Amino acid sequence: MNVTGFLAQLFAIALALFLAPLLTGWVNMCRAWLQNRTAPPLLQQYYMLHKLFNKDVVLAHGASSLFRTAPFIVFGCMVLACAIVPTLSTDLPFAPAADTIALVGVFGLARIFISLAAMDVGTSFGTLGGRREMLVGFLAEPALLMVIFTTALISQSTSVATIVETLARREFAVYPSLAFAGVAFTFVSLAENARVPVDNPATHLELTMIHEAMILEYSGRHLALIEWASSLKLYAYSCLGLALFFPWGVAAGDSFPALVASIPALLFKLTIGGATLAAIETVNAKMRIFRAPEFLGTAFLLAVLGLLVRLLLETRV
Amino acid sequence: MPALLSLDVLLIAALAWFAVGLAGLLAPRNTGFIAKILFPIGALVGAIAGATALRFLGDSPQVAVLAIGLPDLPFHLRLDNLTAVFAILLGFVSVGISVFAAGYFRHGEGTAPGLLCFEYHLFLASMLMVLLADDGYAFMVAWESMALSSFFLVTTDHRHAEIRRAGYLYLLIAHVGAIAILLSFGVMTKGSGDYSFDGMRAQQLSPFWSSAAFLLALFGFGAKAGLLPVHVWLPEAHPAAPSPVSAMMSGVMLKTAIYGLLRVSFDLIGTTIWWWGVVALLVGLATAAFGVLYSTVQSDMKRLLAYSSIENIGLIAVAIGLTLIFHAYKMDGLAALAMTAALYHCLAHSGFKSLLFLATGSVLHATKERSLGKLGGPIHRMPWVAWLALTGVIAGAGLPPLSGFVSEWLLLQGFLFSPGLPHPWLNMIVPVGAALVALVAALAGFAMVKFFGIIFLGQMREENLKDAHDAGWWERAGLAWLGLITVLLGVLPTTAISHINAATHQLLGVGLGERLAAQGWWMLAPISPGRASYEPVIFLCVIAASVLLGRWLVRRLYHGRVRRTQAWDCGYWFQGPRAQDTAEGFSQPIRRIFEPMFRMERHFPGVRDEKPYYSVKVEDHFWHWLYLPIAKLAGGVSTLIIRLQGGRIAIYLLYSFLTLILLLLVARPT
């Protein structure tokens, strides 16, 4: 591990920390426009983080040490996820630290901590949120793994960097399996990032919320870290999706000019991706919680179909 | 005088355990002596056995013949690398459990502590002898003493009828399994009468007979390990036994069955047929899916863990199945990968499942309660136990950076790089298998969150939980030791694999170790770094650094003020402990989604009920579809036979007379 590589890695992480709230703000703006509302400013997320960091932490009497540790761990997991996903370059020193399966594991670790923290105070909504989050999690995780396996079979590797390199530098060909995987991945990302139609990030209506129900008892810096971590998760998922299905423009080296040169492409892709996400959220209605298994089951089946298509039809191509 | 061989040390360790057990019988009621002196000595013996086996790894096999046993069949013993890997597991895991037991058995419940000490150490010694045995006879003797000593341990609290019932079921299935194992040995001797393992290795079996031997072994060892459909004793016996015994049975004894299966299918039979692997794979997948689904809906904390053990054994069987398939097709690298996954999961599961069982023991002692619905909040009273249990929970959910993840990662890698098998439909099984394994891993996370969240977190559901106290130092030390094993296996997978590599080499002729060693200790890349790699150290460092740095920066730039007040809960007024999810409530989504998989009896309250109540009881389909019909059949046959017993002596005399006449008619002098 050389110094340039390490610095490039730090740069990628810092960029993720900086861009993630911006992405969330951009999605919220687009959504407001599409819904004929006055849009909040693009930097709204920063204002909110700053405000929350300044506020006191108000802890419930029943909160244990786990409750206070969990936001930091969740935040750490998301930073790691952003370090692994090739946002700017495929040749960063932390890339071999975890392949795609481990990446799913990082998200799983964060999910377990946030669900446990939700159950910690022992309120009705907290446990409800924790249970629902685990429900969505165990439905989404296998589907995500299947998506990843499809891409891994194409590139004969589970390392994110190798997958992206293979997909970016292949001769242009249409892979039907990738189409299946892409649709499944979209479904999974909507569910995992607590978006409509599975969850609604804007609601505090008791019976429909999932993510918000879990973090009801959080305040101050803890809440700020969790909100930041949610933004980072959306950023990581977006970058992963973009890297897997639109892999062009990601640098192959870790030199500084190459990294900087790949930023415009990333920004462009994220802008389009964020707008698409807002459009999906606008044209869909939130489902009942027990429709979520059907939704994610469809994603799982699509992903398995993609895998089978890859194995049966494309192996001889 | 020649230096002591490792085999001798292990043999002495087994004898020492036996002696410690006997010493317990000298003062059966002296709890202090037994708990604070004998159990720690047992732990020390375990550490010596584990260290000896660890140092032996990679050496050539050592054999010995003991002058006990049948006249023409003395006990053959042998220490090779496969034995050594499982002896390491037995030794080091038993250290944690014995240290914990030193604090746990202080009250002397049920059976007298001295007797318990004897049974416990006999159990340990016989498990070690199972691993060392090198002929069918010695193996069966050790196997049976293991089954019997554990039966008496399970029925420690024999005053309860349900515990006696659980013990009976365990004994019954253990013996059905033992018969199958014996028959398998019989098939492998090919009628030569040579029951030593060397004799079995020398026999060349026809495909039919070798398949028979394999299937019998799979059934027999599966009955001990808890494979479908002979798993029913596990969820009964584990909750019945005292917690250190459950930990020992789940953590170590199930692995001796895996050892037996590996020994027979890769060493003794000598050939491998590809469809064996398919059988093991399918049985394993079914077991894993079944176990994890049922573990999510349990309301008793030890039953939940018992079903989770079934799931993990299923995953090990899946890995063994993959190994058999790859081995049959001579795909050596992949076979080594799958075998490593199987062995690694044995080690990982031993560590974290023993840890979790022991944690339930501490909770049980502190609260006298093992139903999830009556617990809650011990993290405030017992932070040590809670945080150590959390280590086990994360490993049990198969999440990085702890031990459970490494083996699941290896297993998924094995699935992923399997295309290229000669049978097209085998290639179809593989993605379906990988999908199921992924689902099982995700559901395991659900079960573990339920386990930890309902037991340790939230408000106290009952008044008496306020008196709970943290575990004593012995118990904490035992838990911490197992937690350390879980963390080390998770963070240093390459080092661990380079050790178990010797066993993979012995069974398959290839291993992963050389390739891994070339990449450095921090990186796990079983095929090549470009294909797949995992560096848990960096993983852990990045998370830890962001946690610490984040905390420091927030304090530095802003402040660290904290206020305490009532929970908000959206302003909802009722915040009592009853507002939390019960165990049944938490698993409601699972019961709803996978409804056909369960046999449920539910009672819903009506609109006008004066005293409304809700109850749900989830039962095992196998019990109703398989076991009760068999029991009914056996009962029916017995009632027919019982008619022979008239109860009058004249009738019995008539039987004797008739038999005599018949014999005179049939038998002729030659």
Side-chain angles (χ1 to χ4, degrees):
Chain A
M1 192 184 301
N2 53 4
V3 181
T4 350
F6 193 70
L7 284 179
Q9 180 73 67
L10 283 185
F11 177 69
I13 293 178
L15 190 74
L17 286 173
F18 169 72
L19 277 186
L22 214 57
L23 176 65
T24 313
W26 166 243
V27 174
N28 287 344
M29 258 177 108
C30 290
R31 205 160 51 156
W33 286 334
L34 286 169
Q35 295 168 351
N36 258 344
R37 291 186 282 126
T38 311
L42 188 60
L43 298 179
Q44 180 63 39
Q45 290 289 316
Y46 294 115
Y47 300 146
M48 197 192 64
L49 288 180
H50 181 68
K51 177 187 80 180
L52 286 175
F53 274 124
N54 267 321
K55 286 197 174 241
D56 282 10
V57 168
V58 182
L59 278 183
H61 286 304
S64 72
S65 44
L66 179 85
F67 189 80
R68 300 177 68 170
T69 327
F72 292 95
I73 295 183
V74 172
F75 184 73
C77 286
M78 291 311 157
V79 170
L80 176 63
C82 288
I84 298 169
V85 174
T87 46
L88 296 179
S89 160
T90 54
D91 185 30
L92 291 179
F94 287 174
D99 66 344
T100 36
I101 302 176
L103 185 66
V104 177
V106 179
F107 290 128
L109 189 66
R111 173 164 44 238
I112 280 208
F113 269 97
I114 192 85
S115 308
L116 287 178
M119 298 174 77
D120 184 55
V121 179
T123 57
S124 46
F125 289 125
T127 42
L128 174 145
R131 167 179 13 119
R132 288 183 174 172
E133 171 77 3
M134 290 314 291
L135 166 72
V136 171
F138 88 72
L139 292 165
E141 204 177 285
L144 182 59
L145 272 178
M146 287 301 112
V147 171
I148 281 166
F149 284 0
T150 311
T151 53
L153 281 181
I154 292 177
S155 59
Q156 285 300 306
S157 161
T158 59
S159 141
V160 201
T162 318
I163 292 178
V164 173
E165 267 182 24
T166 320
L167 293 181
R169 281 146 193 70
R170 67 181 175 206
E171 71 279 33
F172 188 79
V174 180
Y175 288 89
S177 57
L178 269 190
F180 281 114
V183 175
F185 183 81
T186 316
F187 281 24
V188 171
S189 341
L190 289 175
E192 284 268 36
N193 287 293
R195 294 277 149 182
V196 175
V198 176
D199 190 4
N200 186 350
T203 186
H204 278 93
L205 186 64
E206 289 91 339
L207 294 177
T208 59
M209 56 188 175
I210 302 177
H211 182 75
E212 290 299 319
M214 289 195 296
I215 60 174
L216 275 181
E217 300 304 324
Y218 273 115
S219 55
R221 56 176 180 275
H222 295 158
L223 185 59
L225 281 172
I226 289 182
E227 293 288 348
W228 205 346
S230 307
S231 306
L232 281 171
K233 188 174 183 184
L234 181 64
Y235 178 81
Y237 261 93
S238 312
C239 288
L240 182 64
L242 295 172
L244 289 183
F245 303 106
F246 307 95
W248 303 282
V250 178
D254 58 359
S255 70
F256 216 69
L259 288 191
V260 174
S262 65
I263 290 180
L266 179 71
L267 285 180
F268 176 72
K269 287 194 286 186
L270 280 178
T271 315
I272 305 281
T276 319
L277 176 61
I280 293 177
E281 283 204 274
T282 306
V283 298
N284 279 298
K286 180 178 173 325
M287 315 188 272
R288 285 177 63 213
I289 182 81
F290 278 107
R291 296 288 302 283
E294 294 167 25
F295 180 76
L296 288 167
T298 314
F300 184 60
L301 281 184
L302 280 175
V304 173
L305 267 182
L307 199 59
L308 285 177
V309 165
R310 171 70 205 160
L311 276 178
L312 297 182
L313 303 182
E314 293 174 11
T315 35
R316 277 164 210 89
V317 176
Chain B
M1 182 184 145
L4 272 180
L5 288 176
S6 303
L7 177 61
D8 301 335
V9 179
L10 286 183
L11 197 59
I12 292 170
L15 284 176
W17 268 331
F18 191 60
V20 168
L22 285 179
L25 289 181
L26 293 180
R29 297 265 159 210
N30 188 346
T31 317
F33 165 67
I34 286 164
K36 298 295 181 295
I37 296 181
L38 290 186
F39 273 98
I41 293 180
L44 186 68
V45 174
I48 293 172
T52 312
L54 187 62
R55 230 192 42 184
F56 166 81
L57 276 179
D59 281 2
S60 48
Q62 301 173 353
V63 291
V65 179
L66 290 190
I68 49 171
L70 294 182
D72 56 342
L73 188 61
F75 278 11
H76 293 71
L77 300 181
R78 178 179 147 112
L79 173 63
D80 57 18
N81 288 312
L82 180 64
T83 297
V85 166
F86 282 86
I88 293 171
L89 183 156
L90 167 66
F92 285 137
V93 172
S94 76
V95 171
I97 299 176
S98 292
V99 168
F100 181 91
Y104 188 81
F105 283 131
R106 62 195 163 219
H107 306 300
E109 299 150 330
T111 308
L115 194 55
L116 203 63
C117 170
F118 174 67
E119 290 161 4
Y120 177 84
H121 287 102
L122 181 66
F123 184 38
L124 285 176
S126 51
M127 282 196 285
L128 188 53
M129 290 310 287
V130 164
L131 301 179
L132 290 176
D134 196 33
D135 66 80
Y137 179 64
F139 186 91
M140 290 314 291
V141 168
W143 188 257
E144 282 299 289
S145 21
M146 180 176 92
L148 282 180
S149 51
S150 55
F151 163 75
F152 285 111
L153 285 168
V154 167
T155 52
T156 301
D157 216 356
H158 48 78
R159 282 174 191 84
H160 299 282
E162 61 194 279
I163 288 184
R164 289 199 301 273
R165 210 176 131 248
Y168 174 72
L169 184 67
Y170 168 51
L171 198 65
L172 190 72
I173 293 188
H175 280 92
V176 173
I179 292 172
I181 295 171
L182 196 59
L183 286 177
S184 168
F185 284 152
V187 170
M188 282 186 292
T189 58
K190 209 179 171 186
S192 65
D194 183 1
Y195 271 86
S196 72
F197 284 175
D198 272 335
M200 293 183 200
R201 285 186 195 103
Q203 301 295 342
Q204 293 295 324
L205 294 175
S206 67
F208 175 79
W209 285 112
S210 55
S211 302
F214 172 77
L215 290 179
L216 281 168
L218 184 66
F219 178 81
F221 289 114
K224 196 64 153 188
L227 288 180
L228 238 52
V230 268
H231 63 280
V232 286
W233 65 270
L234 251 140
E236 303 299 325
H238 280 45
S243 291
V245 176
S246 319
M248 191 58 91
M249 286 174 69
S250 186
V252 186
M253 189 187 76
L254 302 187
K255 309 304 179 308
T256 61
I258 298 295
Y259 160 80
L261 187 59
L262 290 176
R263 173 69 75 192
V264 169
S265 34
F266 290 96
D267 188 15
L268 299 186
I269 295 184
T271 52
T272 316
I273 301 176
W274 62 271
W275 61 262
W276 299 354
V278 179
V279 172
L281 185 73
L282 293 180
V283 170
L285 283 175
T287 307
F290 171 89
V292 77
L293 270 183
Y294 272 76
S295 80
T296 54
V297 296
Q298 297 306 314
S299 308
D300 177 311
M301 55 185 179
K302 289 173 87 177
R303 279 178 87 92
L304 190 155
L305 291 182
Y307 276 111
S308 153
S309 290
I310 295 180
E311 169 227 328
N312 283 288
I313 290 292
L315 288 180
I316 295 174
V318 169
I320 293 178
L322 273 188
T323 318
L324 282 167
I325 295 177
F326 294 141
H327 190 53
Y329 288 123
K330 304 271 175 289
M331 301 160 90
D332 285 335
L334 288 170
L337 177 65
M339 173 69 90
T340 310
L343 291 174
Y344 211 96
H345 204 66
C346 284
L347 294 173
H349 180 244
S350 290
F352 70 73
K353 193 49 68 65
S354 310
L355 174 62
L356 291 178
F357 265 117
L358 295 182
T360 65
S362 292
V363 172
L364 193 62
H365 257 188
T367 64
K368 312 272 179 296
E369 192 54 66
R370 59 179 221 209
S371 163
L372 291 173
K374 295 186 174 169
L375 286 162
I379 191 172
H380 299 288
R381 295 279 184 276
M382 6 184 20
W384 276 86
V385 176
W387 279 98
L388 286 168
L390 186 62
T391 329
V393 160
I394 293 174
L399 290 174
L402 297 182
S403 62
F405 179 74
V406 178
S407 43
E408 267 172 33
W409 189 80
L410 289 171
L411 182 60
L412 285 175
Q413 295 291 347
F415 268 113
L416 209 51
F417 295 118
S418 55
L421 290 170
H423 279 268
W425 64 270
L426 263 185
N427 280 333
M428 295 272 282
I429 288 185
V430 166
V432 177
L436 255 177
V437 169
L439 183 66
V440 165
L443 276 169
F446 189 95
M448 285 295 142
V449 165
K450 172 178 173 176
F451 174 82
F452 191 81
I454 306 256
I455 293 181
F456 288 101
L457 302 178
Q459 302 179 46
M460 298 173 186
R461 290 187 175 80
E462 299 283 323
E463 273 301 306
N464 61 345
L465 297 178
K466 290 202 170 54
D467 310 327
H469 50 86
D470 208 347
W473 286 107
W474 284 105
E475 297 188 18
R476 287 184 206 174
L479 291 171
W481 171 258
L482 291 170
L484 182 72
I485 291 182
T486 305
V487 172
L488 284 184
L489 280 178
V491 178
L492 302 172
T494 309
T495 319
I497 288 174
S498 67
H499 281 101
I500 56 179
N501 186 38
T504 324
H505 250 289
Q506 181 198 332
L507 295 183
L508 300 173
V510 280
L512 288 180
E514 297 75 16
R515 213 176 306 144
L516 288 182
Q519 289 146 5
W521 61 270
W522 65 88
M523 182 186 242
L524 177 61
I527 295 171
S528 71
R531 263 184 119 157
S533 60
Y534 170 52
E535 295 169 356
V537 177
I538 292 189
F539 202 94
L540 195 62
C541 287
V542 173
I543 293 188
S546 11
V547 168
L548 295 176
L549 203 69
R551 196 181 144 80
W552 181 75
L553 275 179
V554 170
R555 297 263 160 140
R556 188 73 204 249
L557 297 177
Y558 294 93
H559 58 86
R561 289 195 297 273
V562 170
R563 271 194 294 139
R564 288 263 181 186
T565 181
Q566 216 191 338
W568 177 45
D569 200 24
C570 270
Y572 194 55
W573 58 273
F574 178 70
Q575 293 191 355
R578 300 269 150 188
Q580 303 173 88
D581 268 11
T582 54
E584 291 78 19
F586 196 83
S587 51
Q588 188 259 354
I590 305 264
R591 286 202 308 274
R592 180 162 172 157
I593 296 172
F594 298 99
E595 197 166 350
M597 304 287 291
F598 303 111
R599 184 189 179 91
M600 280 186 280
E601 282 176 27
R602 275 182 289 195
H603 176 271
F604 294 104
V607 184
R608 294 182 200 288
D609 278 358
E610 291 289 314
K611 285 183 179 168
Y613 74 98
Y614 167 82
S615 78
V616 59
K617 201 169 143 198
V618 181
E619 285 184 339
D620 194 335
H621 273 314
F622 281 93
W623 196 243
H624 290 267
W625 291 347
L626 185 66
Y627 285 86
L628 288 184
I630 290 179
K632 221 170 163 182
L633 190 69
V637 172
S638 310
T639 33
L640 282 183
I641 291 175
I642 216 166
R643 290 193 185 167
L644 291 175
Q645 282 185 311
R648 286 172 58 184
I649 193 135
I651 294 179
Y652 294 128
L653 284 176
L654 182 69
Y655 289 152
S656 316
F657 183 65
L658 285 177
T659 315
L660 201 61
I661 299 279
L662 206 69
L663 282 177
L664 283 175
L665 280 177
V666 175
R668 290 141 200 264
T670 46

